[in-house]
Amino acid sequence: MTLHLASRVVAGPNQVSCDLGEEAAILHLTSAIYYSLNLTGAHVWTLLAKPVTVRAIHECLLTQYDVSTDRLERDLLALLGRLAGASLIEVQSEPAA
C-alpha cells in the first residue's frame, strides 16, 4: 500500500518495544529481528501507539523541528515505509469521508 499524508498508521501487533532514553528498541516477534530508532524516530514511534494519520504526525513534528515541510514529508514517508516494510506498523487507507 502506498503511504501518503492521509494514510492512517499504527504500531503492528507482532512487536514489542521499549524506550532507551534517546532511542527506541523494537523487536519483531515473528522474525525475531531487532530494530533501533534514533531520537526523532523514537518520537515518531511513540505517536504510533494508537492509529494516527501521517498528516497528524507531520504537523506535530513541524512544530518541534526546524525543517522544511517538503523535507519532513519525504523523510517521514521514508521512515514509515521502512517500518511498514519490516511489518512493524500497519498502514490503512484514507478514512472514508
Side-chain angles (χ1 to χ4, degrees):
M1 175 173 289
T2 302
L3 276 161
H4 45 84
L5 290 177
S7 298
R8 292 184 73 74
V9 290
V10 65
N14 294 324
Q15 57 75 31
V16 291
S17 62
C18 67
D19 178 19
L20 296 176
E22 292 188 356
E23 296 183 347
I26 308 165
L27 176 64
H28 188 268
L29 298 173
T30 305
S31 67
I33 297 175
Y34 158 84
Y35 300 86
S36 121
L37 297 173
N38 66 15
L39 178 64
T40 306
H43 184 205
V44 170
W45 185 254
T46 64
L47 298 172
L48 295 168
K50 55 186 173 181
V52 62
T53 64
V54 175
R55 178 174 282 109
I57 296 171
H58 185 266
E59 289 172 359
C60 178
L61 296 176
L62 271 177
T63 66
Q64 298 175 353
Y65 296 97
D66 183 22
V67 62
S68 73
T69 300
D70 292 339
R71 171 73 187 266
L72 177 58
E73 182 177 341
R74 265 192 327 272
D75 290 352
L76 178 59
L77 290 174
L79 171 62
L80 294 174
R82 287 191 302 274
L83 294 173
S87 299
L88 296 174
I89 65 170
E90 296 178 345
V91 180
Q92 304 164 350
S93 298
E94 181 178 356

